[in-house]
């Protein structure tokens, strides 16, 4: 795929996530791996409903900038994307957004894990079990992003989560996929689980 097309598709994804309230006030960052060695990532601090190809920076898997439009720096959370690309060979796209439900669900976590509701929707996250018992990892939101990336690096080196995503407490959710469409589906499915958990709690249903 032509690299400008990738950036345009990421910009389109960002616009749609912005419209759903997941990327307000410049929150979140999106990336796509274009080769074994490099990925495009959103530039830091840009409005996610108005991205153009000039709002993307090319970095290598060590986080070094390969090319950047004038005045643009890579996302402050680039190190988290690097960790995912390093540990998940199939990941070609990483989406990180800040939804209200993701942040509320962080409070339901126990011992750094959020139990996902046993819904049919989990099949779309790669869990075909009849009675799934699946946890999503929840990481501490250190103000130094490198520390979040270190924690994720250690966790992913031990084992990959059963579902392609993770929460950062009081911060947001990060998902990955083998292409733009699968990453979007993973995000939509996890967000569905988060909404379900929040609403179940509100009406007193045991999720
Ligand atoms: C609205 S501030 C959010 C940031 O601190 C950060 O968490 C974020 O997701 C966006 O950072 P960015 O550097 O623009 O990629
Ligand atoms: Zn963030």
């Amino acid at each position: 795929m032509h690299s400008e097309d990738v950036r345009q598709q990421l910009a389109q994804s960002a616009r749609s996530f912005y419209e759903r309230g997941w990327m307000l006030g410049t929150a979140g960052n999106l990336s796509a791996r274009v080769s074994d060695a490099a990925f495009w990532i959103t530039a830091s601090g840009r409005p996610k409903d108005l991205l153009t190809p000039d709002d993307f920076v090319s970095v290598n898997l060590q986080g070094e900038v390969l090319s950047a439009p004038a005045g643009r720096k890579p996302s402050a959370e680039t190190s988290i994307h690097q960790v995912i690309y390093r540990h998940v060979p199939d990941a070609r796209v990483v989406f990180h957004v800040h939804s209200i439900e993701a942040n509320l669900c962080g409070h339901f976590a126990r011992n750094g894990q959020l139990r996902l509701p046993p819904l049919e929707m989990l099949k779309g996250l790669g869990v075909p079990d009849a009675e799934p018992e699946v946890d999503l990892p929840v990481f501490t939101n250190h103000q130094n992003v490198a520390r979040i990336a270190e924690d994720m690096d250690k966790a992913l080196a031990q084992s990959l989560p059963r579902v392609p995503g993770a929460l950062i407490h009081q911060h947001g959710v990060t998902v990955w996929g083998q292409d733009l469409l699968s990453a979007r589906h993973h995000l939509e499915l996890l967000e569905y689980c988060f909404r379900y958990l929040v609403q179940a709690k509100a009406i007193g249903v045991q999720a």
Side-chain angles (χ1 to χ4, degrees):
M1 199 187 303
H2 191 271
S3 71
E4 180 151 324
D5 295 344
V6 176
R7 286 174 281 167
Q8 261 155 1
Q9 288 181 353
L10 287 170
Q12 200 180 2
S13 304
R15 203 158 40 248
S16 134
F17 301 155
Y18 174 91
E19 281 160 9
R20 295 186 224 189
W22 300 345
M23 299 195 91
L24 301 179
T26 80
N29 28 76
L30 311 183
S31 72
R33 193 169 175 176
V34 282
S35 72
D36 285 346
F39 60 94
W40 286 108
I41 188 157
T42 43
S44 188
R46 304 300 299 153
K48 301 306 187 309
D49 54 333
L50 299 173
L51 299 178
T52 72
D54 270 351
D55 291 312
F56 291 84
V57 176
S58 172
V59 296
N60 65 21
L61 291 197
Q62 289 68 49
E64 293 156 351
V65 173
L66 302 177
S67 72
R72 300 286 186 260
K73 292 195 175 106
S75 164
E77 293 169 348
T78 299
S79 52
I80 293 174
H81 295 242
Q82 282 167 243
V83 164
I84 293 164
Y85 289 128
R86 280 211 306 268
H87 286 289
V88 189
D90 289 347
R92 307 300 284 188
V93 171
V94 174
F95 290 157
H96 163 69
V97 302
H98 295 199
S99 70
I100 290 175
E101 287 82 0
N103 284 330
L104 288 172
C105 281
H107 296 284
F108 307 154
R110 296 286 167 266
N111 301 317
Q113 303 285 333
L114 175 70
R115 175 56 53 95
L116 294 176
L119 302 173
E120 174 72 13
M121 295 292 252
L122 292 189
K123 285 193 183 144
L125 290 163
V127 180
D129 314 8
E131 290 174 28
E133 294 187 354
V134 180
D135 293 326
L136 186 72
V138 183
F139 292 92
T140 302
N141 185 38
H142 304 292
Q143 288 315 298
N144 178 356
V145 176
R147 283 192 64 198
I148 308 175
E150 266 172 46
D151 289 351
M152 282 193 177
D153 189 39
K154 282 188 201 140
L156 295 183
Q158 285 201 337
S159 63
L160 296 182
R162 254 196 103 188
V163 294
L167 273 179
I168 308 171
H169 190 49
Q170 308 269 52
H171 180 159
V173 63
T174 301
V175 302
W176 51 89
Q178 62 186 13
D179 54 28
L180 283 150
L181 196 58
S182 74
R184 175 161 76 82
H185 288 158
H186 295 159
L187 181 57
E188 288 174 345
L189 292 163
L190 274 182
E191 286 292 344
Y192 181 97
C193 290
F194 299 153
R195 282 204 306 281
Y196 178 93
L197 286 172
V198 169
Q199 289 179 31
K201 189 87 155 177
I203 60 172
V205 165
Q206 179 72 40

